[in-house]
Amino acid sequence: MYRDGDVTAVPDGREVLPDNVKPTHYEVLLNPDLEKFTYSGLVRIDLDVKEDSSSITLNTLELSIDNASLTVGSKPAEEDKISSLQSTQDEEAQTTTFALTKTVPKGSKARLTIEFKGTLNNQMAGFYRSSYTGEDGSKKYMATTQMEATDARRAIPCFDEPALKATFQVTLTADEHLTCLSNMDVKEQKPVGNGKKSVTFNTTPPMSTYLLAFIVSELKCVESNDFRVPVRVFAPPDQDIERGRFSVDLAAKTLKFYEDKFDSKFPLPKMDMVAIPDFSAGAMENWGLVTYRLVDLLFDEKTSGAGMKLRVAEVVQHELAHQWFGNLVTMDFWEGLWLNEGFATWMSWYSCNAFFPEWKVWQSYVTDSLASALSLDSLRSSHPVEVPVKKADDINQIFDAISYEKGSCVLRMISKYLGEETFLKGIRIYLKRHAYGNTKTTDLWNALSEASGEDVAKVMEVWTKYVGYPVVSVSEDEKSNKVHVKQNRFLRTHDVTPEEDKTLYPVFLALRTSEGVDESKTLFDREGSFDIPKDDFYKLNADHSSTYRTFYTASRLHKLGEAAKKGLLTVEDRAGMIADAGALSASAYQPSSSTLTLLKGFSSESDYVVWDQLTTWLANLRATWIFEEEATRDALGAFLRDIASPKAHSLGWTFTEKDDSITQQFKALMFASLGVSGDGKVVAAAKDMFEKFSNGDRGAINPNLRGAVYSIILKNGGGKEYDIILDEFRTAKTSDERNTALRSLGRAKQPELIQRTLAMALGDEVRSQDIYMPLGALRTHPDGIRALWKFMKENWDALVERLPPSMSLLSSVVSICTSGFTHKDQKADVERFFEGKSTKGFDKTLAQSLEAVNAKSDWVARDRKDVESWLKENKYL
């Protein structure tokens, strides 16, 4: 099948609309009823007729078609109207087909007019309702949208595919006191009687349906005039709008920064960002009208810690990067999602580093984006960056660490390989060449090749078209003074078949020696060699800017540990080395004892990011050993206290105005890690803070420590403490404060408290978007993990009803309720439960969860005695 214009052949099996017509413009009129939760609508779609047509098929989902007609001809005197079109709906394909009583010839211009009705649903998809608290304390509602990936069809009848770009003019009818927003600025507003008004917006540039947005609500606003066009943050009246000041100021500066970097003007007349109380994702890049969860847009220095400020900045800059990468230039179809999300992720790190160099975000990148990508992509059930997508049901499942984080890692590799300025030169070529159009990955490679003179596709295609990444094994021949490197596919389960090991990745070796970093060495073949430096110091993958693991011999790993102490390795090198060693222990390349020995040598480490990686791996080890003997688990806690307590105690847990962002995060990390591991001083400090807090001193717990204090108290407390933290969830003024309380409740281990926490997930107090929050912390103890699985089995139908498979939230809950297991019999129980059940919408997540359980089971069986022996030898057990 072929599409008209620039779009090339459609792969076999992809479910797309017939290409006999192509939309060019939509006129959308909507009248939402915020009391009945319904709306009436009319859409007029201008069409270019590409083939002789006796029918027109477009996308609809859960819409009622009242009437439809087709007018053929571009001039009124020549128009031929076909009224009362007969329609046939296909619920499975999510389409409506209109039969025409006469054939419309190729080359015609036509206008399809459809009158319809819809529901302002409570599924956070399409045109939906979200609730907030009015000034009188009553529950009130707004109407808002979430179209990506395939829910524009749930809001209006449309041609709901990324390549079918068109212009849009939206008109909303609403009560006069309500604010109406859409992608563009207001063209006309007029009263229509009965206390209502009609608001018509200017016509958008050509764009994909998934970027269409409109909102009707009571809203407060804060504005910045520091950019060429107005930049505004909106929030419901129950929010303090001044908490939007950080985001609106950052957005204005970021838009100017992106205009300069991309050499491309932001093409819309305004930029609005809106905090939505019910929102399934973190944020959505609708062109000119970006929507966010409250917590990802509204920030208050007084009530939130440094980590939350970084999060808000990253999300805002990510969404604004989309205004160019995704909105101006859009992927041809969903297998190119990484072109949107990978770039926006990379650009958010790049811009964060430019705006806040003191945050040193490229150091954190190693333990954040790179770690997430390497974790998921170490599973057989992962997928390529460019993943074939055939059905709408499959699309939501690829909004994951591969499309986002691995996509950004691919771009980080190529930006390092070409140099950042050359890379950005290629990006400017790409954006200019394809503005208002659609692209494939090859279009990006071509632009980068043009900018650099390199054959970028040759180097990078393997990284996007094939699943997985390599482990590079390093051996040394002292006689010939050579280092030998060999690449093989890396799997966490350590059971790669010859068939799976055929891919040869272009591996950027980035060799660090005492003379600097040699970026010129790339391993294209299975194996290669280079000379050992004279001073015997070298490390591969300098700064861990490439996507692979490195497996050193035990003696070389020891030498690198010594080099770290001498200051020869960067923060990224040290953190990445720990991450690689830990992953290789978990996958049978080396015993866990070798990584434990390596970590013991880092007790004098001074950097936050390295400690973040160290404590993360130990937490992963303890989670894998969670069903083992309690004495072993306690001994692992004793090991952490032994190496980390000196650093935690010297840092302390009081905060001053002199503490920069990293220092604040460092103190919070060490306090939390030591507290849940039972450090006496930290636990006593947490209890003291909590007692003062309980007695009304809200400043007793620093925002950076809030989550840690709650976790420590619930782990060591009972019903009284649980009720205090639950009340904080119910009454705190900011989303961040409420979320922190909600996330911590699962730490409570008493059976009755576990049941109360589980009940909250299906109760009315917790919004559907937050259902995973009370569940997550139950994975921190064995009884919680068992209770989670029992809860899911007993409440499966209720969970599916509340979180339909079309929502990614069901995937999250399935993962939380199954991924804590570590034994084969537990995995078998999960498999039995889902046998014969539809796993539509979360089958990939389930497969990944089960494979992770399998890997943990093998790890425990293999290294149980090794870990015990090491703990005994080092007097922890």
Side-chain angles (χ1 to χ4, degrees):
M1 193 191 312
Y2 288 83
R3 284 205 178 279
D4 183 70
D6 296 329
V7 182
T8 54
V10 176
D12 289 341
R14 187 192 283 178
E15 293 184 1
V16 294
L17 294 168
D19 59 357
N20 59 312
V21 298
K22 183 178 181 181
T24 60
H25 176 71
Y26 292 79
E27 185 181 349
V28 180
L29 296 89
L30 298 168
N31 186 358
D33 186 328
L34 291 172
E35 293 182 356
K36 296 179 180 176
F37 304 138
T38 59
Y39 64 97
S40 58
L42 184 145
V43 61
R44 300 186 183 101
I45 310 174
D46 292 342
L47 303 169
D48 284 343
V49 181
K50 297 297 183 181
E51 303 291 341
D52 291 349
S53 300
S54 57
S55 66
I56 296 173
T57 300
L58 44 56
N59 294 112
T60 60
L61 180 61
E62 297 177 1
L63 297 175
S64 173
I65 306 298
D66 293 335
N67 190 29
S69 62
L70 185 75
T71 304
V72 182
S74 56
K75 297 179 181 177
E78 301 170 0
E79 285 182 352
D80 181 9
K81 186 171 183 179
I82 307 173
S83 301
S84 302
L85 298 179
Q86 295 298 308
S87 64
T88 305
Q89 290 187 312
D90 184 333
E91 290 185 14
E92 181 66 25
Q94 301 179 0
T95 60
T96 293
T97 298
F98 296 100
L100 308 180
T101 54
K102 61 180 78 172
T103 298
V104 178
K106 177 181 178 179
S108 301
K109 301 287 185 181
R111 169 172 280 195
L112 177 62
T113 301
I114 306 170
E115 297 174 35
F116 64 98
K117 290 187 178 67
T119 301
L120 293 173
N121 65 73
N122 61 354
Q123 297 180 20
M124 295 177 282
F127 199 17
Y128 72 94
R129 66 185 186 265
S130 176
S131 65
Y132 60 92
T133 303
E135 292 181 359
D136 60 357
S138 64
K139 192 173 189 178
K140 292 194 170 184
Y141 290 90
M142 65 165 62
T144 185
T145 55
Q146 171 60 35
M147 307 303 198
E148 192 179 32
T150 58
D151 282 309
R153 65 193 64 178
R154 199 189 291 263
I156 63 170
C158 59
F159 295 81
D160 199 12
E161 293 172 13
L164 297 178
K165 288 191 170 185
T167 56
F168 293 80
Q169 185 181 68
V170 173
T171 298
L172 300 172
T173 299
D175 289 349
E176 286 182 340
H177 73 283
L178 298 178
T179 299
C180 295
L181 299 172
S182 190
N183 303 84
M184 296 293 287
D185 54 345
V186 174
K187 178 182 180 181
E188 180 186 29
Q189 179 173 315
K190 59 185 180 183
V192 292
N194 297 321
K196 299 274 188 180
K197 65 182 177 183
S198 170
V199 182
T200 299
F201 300 88
N202 281 306
T203 301
T204 70
M207 68 181 198
S208 303
T209 49
Y210 78 88
L211 297 170
L212 182 63
F214 26 87
I215 297 172
V216 177
S217 180
E218 293 180 308
L219 292 170
K220 295 178 181 177
C221 174
V222 62
E223 184 170 349
S224 170
N225 295 308
D226 292 341
F227 184 54
R228 312 183 277 105
V229 302
V231 181
R232 302 179 293 184
V233 164
F234 291 88
D238 58 354
Q239 301 297 314
D240 180 356
I241 194 59
E242 282 303 311
R243 294 190 179 117
R245 182 67 64 185
F246 171 72
S247 292
V248 78
D249 289 343
L250 177 62
K253 295 172 187 173
T254 301
L255 287 167
K256 176 67 169 65
F257 178 76
Y258 287 166
E259 283 194 336
D260 293 343
K261 287 297 174 184
F262 300 148
D263 191 23
S264 171
K265 295 292 186 185
F266 175 67
L268 272 62
K270 56 89 179 178
M271 168 52 67
D272 292 336
M273 305 191 297
V274 188
I276 307 295
D278 298 275
F279 198 79
S280 62
M284 177 60 211
E285 66 267 21
N286 315 300
W287 215 356
L289 182 59
V290 182
T291 46
Y292 297 79
R293 282 191 178 216
L294 300 179
V295 74
D296 287 322
L297 184 64
L298 306 179
F299 172 77
D300 187 342
E301 299 262 12
K302 298 185 186 68
T303 58
S304 295
M308 184 54 66
K309 187 173 185 178
L310 172 60
R311 162 76 183 179
V312 170
E314 182 188 334
V315 174
V316 168
Q317 294 187 306
H318 178 108
E319 300 310 320
L320 295 182
H322 274 309
Q323 305 302 303
W324 285 265
F325 239 90
N327 299 8
L328 180 65
V329 180
T330 312
M331 73 267 157
D332 163 47
F333 201 67
W334 294 103
E335 71 266 14
L337 176 66
W338 87 276
L339 288 168
N340 287 14
E341 300 301 348
F343 184 83
T345 301
W346 183 87
M347 201 67 204
S348 68
W349 288 95
Y350 180 84
S351 53
C352 248
N353 185 60
F355 280 75
F356 307 102
E358 69 278 11
W359 291 358
K360 300 179 181 177
V361 294
W362 285 123
Q363 293 180 357
S364 300
Y365 177 87
V366 174
T367 57
D368 191 313
S369 283
L370 179 63
S372 297
L374 292 173
S375 176
L376 178 51
D377 216 24
S378 68
L379 297 174
R380 184 174 277 109
S381 48
S382 180
H383 61 80
V385 170
E386 290 184 83
V387 57
V389 175
K390 295 181 179 180
K391 301 171 66 175
D393 297 334
D394 298 331
I395 296 168
N396 283 333
Q397 293 194 78
I398 64 169
F399 284 79
D400 61 9
I402 301 302
S403 297
Y404 285 70
E405 277 75 24
K406 189 180 180 184
S408 75
C409 290
V410 167
L411 295 173
R412 173 113 165 112
M413 283 194 288
I414 196 63
S415 70
K416 296 282 279 189
Y417 178 71
L418 299 178
E420 269 183 6
E421 284 310 308
T422 302
F423 175 74
L424 287 170
K425 179 183 176 184
I427 294 303
R428 289 190 280 271
I429 292 171
Y430 175 82
L431 290 172
K432 279 187 172 61
R433 182 170 295 159
H434 302 288
Y436 305 107
N438 295 85
T439 60
K440 296 179 180 296
T441 298
T442 50
D443 295 311
L444 177 59
W445 298 156
N446 290 341
L448 292 172
S449 295
E450 185 176 326
S452 65
E454 301 272 356
D455 187 350
V456 173
K458 177 189 173 186
V459 179
M460 299 309 298
E461 227 173 28
V462 172
W463 287 105
T464 60
K465 289 189 177 299
Y466 294 88
V467 67
Y469 60 88
V471 54
V472 176
S473 301
V474 181
S475 58
E476 299 171 13
D477 186 341
E478 294 181 4
K479 291 181 181 178
S480 62
N481 210 39
K482 290 280 187 184
V483 175
H484 184 76
V485 291
K486 180 182 180 181
Q487 64 162 301
N488 297 95
R489 168 90 182 271
F490 178 79
L491 281 181
R492 203 186 305 181
T493 45
H494 198 71
D495 56 354
V496 179
T497 65
E499 189 66 28
E500 293 170 320
D501 199 22
K502 288 182 177 179
T503 304
L504 293 177
Y505 303 85
V507 179
F508 304 120
L509 294 176
L511 180 65
R512 183 184 296 284
T513 67
S514 53
E515 296 179 1
V517 179
D518 182 357
E519 300 275 11
S520 66
K521 287 183 168 61
T522 303
L523 180 66
F524 287 99
D525 301 317
R526 176 71 67 187
E527 304 179 51
S529 298
F530 58 88
D531 292 333
I532 298 177
K534 290 179 181 178
D535 61 0
D536 196 35
F537 168 62
Y538 71 89
K539 182 189 174 297
L540 298 184
N541 200 7
D543 292 335
H544 286 256
S545 55
S546 289
T547 311
Y548 62 91
R549 299 286 188 195
T550 309
F551 176 36
Y552 298 101
T553 61
S555 61
R556 177 54 57 183
L557 191 62
H558 175 73
K559 290 177 181 178
L560 284 171
E562 293 302 309
K565 293 178 185 176
K566 296 174 184 175
L568 296 175
L569 300 180
T570 64
V571 169
E572 296 94 320
D573 281 332
R574 302 197 301 276
M577 181 174 69
I578 292 171
D580 282 358
L584 292 164
S585 288
S587 53
Y589 281 85
Q590 60 191 23
S592 297
S593 56
S594 66
T595 301
L596 290 167
T597 299
L598 177 70
L599 298 189
K600 196 169 172 63
F602 275 84
S603 57
S604 59
E605 172 60 47
S606 60
D607 194 87
Y608 160 67
V609 170
V610 182
W611 275 107
D612 187 23
Q613 183 58 60
L614 188 156
T615 55
T616 295
W617 188 78
L618 276 177
N620 185 30
L621 177 68
R622 295 177 72 191
T624 304
W625 258 250
I626 199 163
F627 290 104
E628 299 308 298
E629 293 292 333
E630 189 172 357
T632 304
R633 289 186 280 130
D634 289 344
L636 288 169
F639 169 54
L640 175 60
R641 294 195 299 275
D642 182 41
I643 61 171
S645 288
K647 173 55 68 176
H649 295 165
S650 66
L651 281 170
W653 35 83
T654 56
F655 294 79
T656 70
E657 291 184 359
K658 294 180 181 179
D659 289 343
D660 61 18
S661 175
I662 290 177
T663 302
Q664 292 178 58
Q665 292 178 77
F666 200 178
K667 288 180 177 181
L669 169 73
M670 301 307 284
F671 185 88
S673 299
L674 269 296
V676 296
S677 297
D679 179 275
K681 289 184 179 179
V682 172
V683 171
K687 288 181 176 178
D688 181 58
M689 293 177 203
F690 189 75
E691 184 178 359
K692 292 175 181 174
F693 175 82
S694 303
N695 291 326
D697 181 3
R698 293 195 65 80
I701 304 176
N702 185 276
N704 288 286
L705 301 181
R706 189 185 298 121
V709 170
Y710 291 170
S711 295
I712 294 164
I713 292 301
L714 287 168
K715 182 181 179 183
N716 296 281
K720 176 185 175 184
E721 293 80 6
Y722 186 96
D723 285 338
I724 291 169
I725 294 169
L726 177 60
D727 187 61
E728 183 67 7
F729 159 67
R730 289 169 172 164
T731 61
K733 292 182 179 179
T734 71
S735 293
D736 184 27
E737 291 172 295
R738 291 193 297 273
N739 289 353
T740 303
L742 186 60
R743 287 178 188 275
S744 67
L745 293 175
R747 287 275 183 176
K749 296 179 181 179
Q750 294 90 330
E752 67 276 11
L753 298 181
I754 290 175
Q755 292 308 310
R756 287 178 65 185
T757 301
L758 289 169
M760 290 194 71
L762 287 177
D764 295 332
E765 279 192 283
V766 175
R767 295 176 186 265
S768 293
Q769 66 170 17
D770 299 328
I771 195 170
Y772 64 91
M773 289 188 187
L775 302 178
L778 286 164
R779 290 182 296 181
T780 60
H781 47 91
D783 289 343
I785 294 170
R786 295 187 191 98
L788 273 170
W789 177 233
K790 185 171 184 287
F791 162 81
M792 199 183 87
K793 287 193 292 186
E794 291 176 352
N795 296 280
W796 179 246
D797 291 342
L799 285 167
V800 171
E801 183 178 353
R802 184 165 183 181
L803 307 173
S806 59
M807 293 170 62
S808 59
L809 289 168
L810 184 62
S811 285
S812 299
V813 171
V814 168
S815 177
I816 288 169
C817 293
T818 59
S819 61
F821 287 141
T822 65
H823 290 166
K824 292 278 200 317
D825 60 329
Q826 295 168 329
K827 176 185 172 231
D829 189 26
V830 176
E831 290 171 328
R832 280 193 301 271
F833 176 75
F834 283 107
E835 202 171 291
K837 287 184 173 62
S838 171
T839 56
K840 174 181 169 182
F842 63 89
D843 55 304
K844 288 183 175 64
T845 299
L846 179 60
Q848 290 158 4
S849 183
L850 292 174
E851 190 178 351
V853 172
N854 209 46
K856 287 188 286 185
S857 176
D858 290 344
W859 184 12
V860 172
R862 186 175 60 246
D863 277 8
R864 182 182 284 114
K865 290 184 178 178
D866 173 65
V867 169
E868 286 181 10
S869 297
W870 188 90
L871 290 169
K872 287 176 181 176
E873 286 170 13
N874 288 273
K875 298 182 170 51
Y876 298 114
L877 182 60

